[in-house]
Amino acid sequence: MAFVPIFSIYTFAVAVSLFVAIGLAVWLWGSFLDRNEHDPARVRAVMFLALWATIMWELGMNAAGWTRGYTVWISLLVASWGGLDALLRFPAAHDLESLFCVKHFALLMLKTLAYAVGMAGFRAHLAAFLTVFVYTWAMPVLYAMALPMDPCEQVLRNDANDVDITVRVWRLMVNRHERRNCYVKCRGWWYRSLADASEKSILIRYVLCVTSPEHRRFYTKKVRSV
């Protein structure tokens, strides 16, 4: 079996490229935030896409055999209890001594340790580990950058939603009214998204009119009114 050095020119190049990419990402993210400082919904949506991209990358690493099976479950735990929880509570601010920050720091440490010992051939996949390490610890920095500068904007519309995601899940399980409210909110979001998409695409509008009598009646009335 050939000896694979831990550090190589390739690994060094990957490390340098990652830090350059992080610097570029911070600059681009800062420019985006300057234009959308008072639009937390749009900022949150972009961060959701970034979280989803990291999950897909980590699932791909496991499918390629670069990581052991348990790393996927730890990644999903950190992504749901950590990243998803933070995004659902955005833009609420929390002190460094709060349980929120302590929990997320512990989850980041857990994920880093899991990948440090869970790589299937650490030397062969050191570049992949560095990639996970860099974006795992860079994401909280980007999240902190996204918090509004004005303390008056560092709150949720409903303070009752500034709770841990496990509390939310428990409420949905035991409280019928919570389930009903969640259903109404999700349905409203879904219809708004479809309406926005149909305004931008004739094809989507046609599909909606064919598959949904409600949307067909809505657009028929809209055309008649014009």
Side-chain angles (χ1 to χ4, degrees):
M1 182 176 179
F3 174 75
V4 180
I6 296 181
F7 295 102
S8 62
I9 297 178
Y10 169 72
T11 304
F12 176 76
V14 169
V16 172
S17 300
L18 285 173
F19 281 103
V20 171
I22 289 298
L24 180 61
V26 169
W27 178 73
L28 292 174
W29 185 237
S31 300
F32 172 78
L33 294 176
D34 289 340
R35 297 190 302 271
N36 300 274
E37 181 180 358
H38 304 292
D39 191 357
R42 188 172 187 181
V43 174
R44 185 190 298 112
V46 174
M47 290 193 289
F48 266 119
L49 291 177
L51 178 63
W52 180 252
T54 61
I55 294 174
M56 290 297 99
W57 166 252
E58 290 160 10
L59 290 176
M61 288 175 57
N62 184 257
W66 295 359
T67 60
R68 296 183 173 89
Y70 62 84
T71 58
V72 172
W73 299 108
I74 293 178
S75 293
L76 293 176
L77 171 66
V78 175
S80 57
W81 197 23
L84 179 60
D85 175 62
L87 294 181
L88 290 176
R89 299 165 75 173
F90 181 84
H94 301 87
D95 296 330
L96 292 177
E97 302 83 7
S98 65
L99 184 60
F100 174 87
C101 292
V102 173
K103 182 195 74 171
H104 280 78
F105 179 77
L107 289 174
L108 293 178
M109 290 295 296
L110 173 63
K111 182 176 179 178
T112 303
L113 179 62
Y115 274 91
V117 301
M119 301 297 296
F122 187 83
R123 292 179 176 178
H125 303 301
L126 180 57
F129 169 76
L130 290 176
T131 302
V132 175
F133 177 84
V134 170
Y135 73 65
T136 295
W137 290 95
M139 294 288 279
V141 176
L142 301 180
Y143 179 89
M145 289 176 59
L147 292 174
M149 299 295 293
D150 187 356
C152 296
E153 296 182 358
Q154 296 178 353
V155 293
L156 295 174
R157 292 182 179 179
N158 186 357
D159 290 338
N161 292 329
D162 190 13
V163 294
D164 194 89
I165 192 172
T166 55
V167 177
R168 290 194 177 198
V169 173
W170 174 253
R171 289 176 178 175
L172 289 175
M173 293 173 59
V174 302
N175 192 316
R176 181 168 57 90
H177 296 292
E178 287 287 342
R179 291 195 296 272
R180 177 63 182 174
N181 292 335
C182 181
Y183 168 76
V184 171
K185 290 179 180 178
C186 291
R187 183 181 180 183
W189 173 84
W190 175 248
Y191 276 100
R192 287 193 301 271
S193 300
L194 288 178
D196 292 340
S198 64
E199 292 294 332
K200 300 176 181 178
S201 173
I202 298 178
L203 177 61
I204 295 178
R205 185 184 305 177
Y206 174 77
V207 173
L208 287 176
C209 291
V210 171
T211 58
S212 174
E214 183 177 350
H215 283 86
R216 184 165 58 250
R217 289 193 298 269
F218 171 79
Y219 285 112
T220 301
K221 292 180 180 179
K222 187 175 181 180
V223 171
R224 288 176 179 175
S225 63
V226 173

